[in-house]
Amino acid sequence: METIVDCNIEMEFREIDATTQADVRLRMHDGSQMTSQGIANRNPDDRRQQRVGEEVAAARALNGLAEQLLDKAGDQIQEVMHEPVHLTR
């Protein structure tokens, strides 16, 4: 039988002048949480394109979250295997 587990991701954006910040929160099914932040800086000479800044900031925040998840999984594997674990990034 296949078990399906879900999690929730929330993302919030803030824009101040030429900087867009994305804050992401991952809530796992066991109640644990992880957070990450991504920032995009627009060159002052570039045209204002809010969506582009949000996409870049979101990608950076999600990348940070992915790194945390890989580290957590590696730690859990290492606890069972009792030897160093190196997950490919």
Side-chain angles (χ1 to χ4, degrees):
M1 178 180 227
E2 182 179 342
T3 303
I4 298 174
V5 178
D6 65 350
C7 62
N8 294 308
I9 296 177
E10 297 173 6
M11 190 171 301
E12 187 175 289
F13 296 97
R14 276 188 273 302
E15 187 169 357
I16 301 170
D17 299 323
T19 300
T20 302
Q21 177 180 318
D23 294 315
V24 64
R25 174 181 292 115
L26 171 68
R27 288 193 174 111
M28 302 295 288
H29 66 282
D30 64 1
S32 64
Q33 294 186 44
M34 292 182 185
T35 61
S36 183
Q37 185 179 84
I39 295 176
N41 294 300
R42 177 176 47 86
N43 183 315
D45 295 334
D46 290 345
R47 213 177 72 173
R48 185 169 187 246
Q49 292 179 299
Q50 185 174 354
R51 178 172 284 150
V52 172
E54 289 174 353
E55 290 169 350
V56 172
R60 291 176 175 161
L62 290 169
N63 188 54
L65 194 59
E67 294 283 332
Q68 290 179 49
L69 285 166
L70 283 171
D71 288 343
K72 181 179 179 181
D75 291 345
Q76 291 171 341
I77 294 168
Q78 193 165 316
E79 285 177 19
V80 173
M81 301 298 294
H82 303 290
E83 59 185 63
V85 174
H86 303 285
L87 297 178
T88 304
R89 299 196 189 283

